[in-house]
Amino acid sequence: MSSTRPLRVAIVGAGPAGIYAADILSKTDLDVSIDLFERLPAPFGLVRYGVAPDHPRIKGIIGALHKVLSRGDVRLLANVNYGVDLKLEDLRQYYDAVVFSTGAIKDAELPIPGIDLDGSYGAADFVSWFDGHPDVPRTWPLEAQHVAVLGAGNVALDVSRILAKHPKDLMSTEIPANVQAGLEASPVTDVHVFARRGPAQVKFSPLELRELGHVPDVDIVVYPEDFDFDEGSMAAIEATNQTKQVVKTLTDWTLVEPSQQTASRRIHLHFLQAPSEVLGEDGKVVGLRTERTALQGDGTVKGTGEFHDWPVQAVYRAVGYFGSPLPEIPFDDLKGVISNREGRVVDLDGEHLPGVYATGWIKRGPVGLIGHTKSDASETIRHLVEDVTGVGDGGDVADGSLDGGRTAPHGEPAQIVDFLVERGVDVITWDEFTLLDAHELGLGETAGRERVKVVPREEMIDIAKGRA
């Protein structure tokens, strides 16, 4: 095996984590050829399909990711489904190293009675719907007047805000037409957000929380009896400016006179209320039962035995995301991540699988903001470089191999495309994606908006392939 050809690296998953990893790897001293695989017809992952459409500043991250892929030194191969169109054994024929950055798209479970009733939903599925993900149904059952959202993070705020916001105030965004129609038919008047702990323990970002207070014709309702601060709470407030800002915003809302709250819709924020059961009748959600909790001095809580039933017709759980296992890749079922050590994928014995790596949420779990994936990718790529140059403690050349990490028997870039085409895969390249991108921008211009997403998968593929 000659070491004169470029090192061939495949990155599976073209969301922020995968693109950051590709960008960092391209700027190392390695002579490297990088292919970025994506299951969907469009790249950008979480930023395109996991961020609320009324967050243009976060959506702006796409601009930076777009620049990376438009440079030409990282090849996009979209509409390729790992585990179906190809597997690890196939990739290792064409690539010397493989990095998995497939994210975490499932809702974490919430094991309480009634959670599977009709009218109980996962936040991740709802986010995918209002973001126009091609793999979810085009319609959503928005039939509830009173809704409960379970969670104390930004996803809970996103879900609550989209449910309560009047559709006309979303028309400046890239919201798809089917989502607009669904929201316009919604009878919702009240959205109740339930947090198990107190105001000092929530995971809302200060900016997202402040934005909640500026939604037109939507009042924010808080309850003074939910505001309790123990020693742990005070320590948290003093420790970070973020917590201090969040608590100040929440506390300021307690000072608003009820007579001033005249909006047609309301978002209620409840603290120290732990969901204990989703109540049902004839198989459908009719309420939520919560237990009052009490702070324990260190910021943790315990149940008090005091329960309250809330009449709601829908429940959304926003208690976190969870990763999905991949064929042939060791997986930690408890943590919902690929088994790894600082990005090096390891087997059941803790031994590194040579040439196999992970980055992003599928590596460390669904925590942190999008920007945090940069440092995460840096760690993984650092280990990959160490391994293929023989200076690390694992990888393809740590055993003294002299091939410089070039272990794939088929190292020509065209060969993987030929392999996929022979399997009947409609591979979408970056140039082809730009046709879809331009089409969506054109739809937006016609509608007086920046962009209108194309939702059906087959339509996306046909536009990218010039068949529409």
Side-chain angles (χ1 to χ4, degrees), residues 139-214:
T139 60
W140 190 270
L142 293 167
E143 302 164 351
Q145 182 178 358
H146 301 94
V147 179
V149 178
L150 313 180
N154 286 340
V155 175
L157 292 187
D158 282 349
V159 169
S160 304
R161 190 180 63 255
I162 295 298
L163 284 169
K165 202 167 190 174
H166 293 276
K168 64 182 178 62
D169 295 317
L170 288 167
M171 290 313 298
S172 62
T173 75
E174 59 186 40
I175 181 174
N178 64 295
V179 176
Q180 175 194 349
L183 292 172
E184 285 179 343
S186 171
V188 68
T189 59
D190 292 83
V191 179
H192 297 262
V193 183
F194 294 93
R196 186 173 54 87
R197 297 195 290 171
Q201 286 80 40
V202 295
K203 301 301 182 182
F204 308 142
S205 68
L207 177 60
E208 185 125 356
L209 190 63
R210 286 196 298 270
E211 287 179 345
L212 195 69
H214 297 291

Side-chain angles (χ1 to χ4, degrees), residues 65-227:
L65 302 178
H66 196 287
K67 288 181 180 178
V68 174
L69 294 184
S70 65
R71 291 193 317 235
D73 57 340
V74 176
R75 183 170 66 167
L76 175 69
L77 300 176
N79 199 43
V80 180
N81 191 359
Y82 175 82
V84 176
D85 299 325
L86 78 180
K87 296 183 180 179
L88 181 62
E89 61 182 329
D90 302 315
L91 288 171
R92 293 315 308 268
Q93 293 295 306
Y94 300 95
Y95 298 94
D96 309 305
V98 182
V99 181
F100 288 93
S101 58
T102 50
I105 60 173
K106 291 194 328 184
D107 284 287
E109 294 183 357
L110 181 63
I112 61 174
I115 198 65
D116 295 324
L117 286 167
D118 184 11
S120 175
Y121 310 107
D125 291 336
F126 183 57
V127 171
S128 292
W129 174 75
F130 67 60
D131 264 333
H133 196 293
D135 289 348
V136 301
R138 301 291 305 280
T139 60
W140 190 270
L142 293 167
E143 302 164 351
Q145 182 178 358
H146 301 94
V147 179
V149 178
L150 313 180
N154 286 340
V155 175
L157 292 187
D158 282 349
V159 169
S160 304
R161 190 180 63 255
I162 295 298
L163 284 169
K165 202 167 190 174
H166 293 276
K168 64 182 178 62
D169 295 317
L170 288 167
M171 290 313 298
S172 62
T173 75
E174 59 186 40
I175 181 174
N178 64 295
V179 176
Q180 175 194 349
L183 292 172
E184 285 179 343
S186 171
V188 68
T189 59
D190 292 83
V191 179
H192 297 262
V193 183
F194 294 93
R196 186 173 54 87
R197 297 195 290 171
Q201 286 80 40
V202 295
K203 301 301 182 182
F204 308 142
S205 68
L207 177 60
E208 185 125 356
L209 190 63
R210 286 196 298 270
E211 287 179 345
L212 195 69
H214 297 291
V215 179
D217 195 30
V218 176
D219 282 331
I220 308 302
V221 184
V222 296
Y223 300 86
E225 62 269 24
D226 289 348
F227 282 70

Side-chain angles (χ1 to χ4, degrees), residues 14-15 19 36 38 40-45 48-49 62 69 76 78 430 433:
I19 297 175
L36 191 61
E38 171 54 48
L40 299 175
F44 309 131
R48 180 177 169 100
Y49 291 120
I62 283 184
L69 294 184
L76 175 69
W430 174 253
F433 166 72

Side-chain angles (χ1 to χ4, degrees), residues 196-435:
R196 186 173 54 87
R197 297 195 290 171
Q201 286 80 40
V202 295
K203 301 301 182 182
F204 308 142
S205 68
L207 177 60
E208 185 125 356
L209 190 63
R210 286 196 298 270
E211 287 179 345
L212 195 69
H214 297 291
V215 179
D217 195 30
V218 176
D219 282 331
I220 308 302
V221 184
V222 296
Y223 300 86
E225 62 269 24
D226 289 348
F227 282 70
D228 189 18
F229 301 95
D230 61 358
E231 292 182 9
S233 300
M234 299 309 298
I237 294 169
E238 292 299 320
T240 69
N241 190 49
Q242 175 166 314
T243 302
K244 187 178 299 183
Q245 291 180 54
V246 166
V247 170
K248 182 182 186 305
T249 298
L250 292 171
T251 304
D252 286 347
W253 283 335
T254 67
L255 305 177
V256 177
E257 292 292 334
S259 60
Q260 298 176 349
Q261 297 181 317
T262 58
S264 65
R265 294 180 175 180
R266 291 159 293 280
I267 295 177
H268 307 255
L269 302 179
H270 304 275
F271 306 104
L272 301 173
Q273 294 283 356
S276 63
E277 183 178 358
V278 179
L279 306 176
E281 188 175 295
D282 297 328
K284 295 182 177 294
V285 171
V286 297
L288 174 72
R289 178 168 294 159
T290 62
E291 181 181 12
R292 168 67 72 175
T293 60
L295 292 164
Q296 297 302 291
D298 58 357
T300 63
V301 295
K302 73 173 183 179
T304 64
E306 177 188 341
F307 294 89
H308 186 86
D309 291 351
W310 309 84
V312 298
Q313 300 85 48
V315 173
Y316 291 77
R317 69 183 188 278
V319 294
Y321 290 93
F322 203 77
S324 301
L326 300 168
E328 303 178 330
I329 307 300
F331 193 74
D332 187 326
D333 292 305
L334 292 177
K335 297 180 180 178
V337 298
I338 290 176
S339 300
N340 74 94
R341 187 169 53 249
E342 294 185 345
R344 289 183 174 114
V345 175
V346 297
D347 60 21
L348 293 176
D349 297 322
E351 296 296 323
H352 176 211
L353 292 183
V356 185
Y357 304 84
T359 191
W361 279 5
I362 200 63
K363 165 189 171 183
R364 59 185 166 86
V367 293
L369 302 176
I370 292 173
H372 293 165
T373 57
K374 283 187 178 181
S375 58
D376 190 56
S378 294
E379 178 183 67
T380 295
I381 297 305
R382 184 178 74 251
H383 286 316
L384 186 156
V385 172
E386 290 173 351
D387 294 344
V388 300
T389 56
V391 299
D393 58 4
D396 289 323
V397 297
D399 59 358
S401 172
L402 299 178
D403 55 30
R406 277 72 171 172
T407 59
H410 307 296
E412 291 299 320
Q415 291 177 307
I416 184 63
V417 176
D418 293 341
F419 170 83
L420 291 167
V421 170
E422 287 175 5
R423 289 198 166 188
V425 181
D426 253 337
V427 180
I428 294 176
T429 65
W430 174 253
D431 287 343
E432 290 170 328
F433 166 72
T434 59
L435 296 179

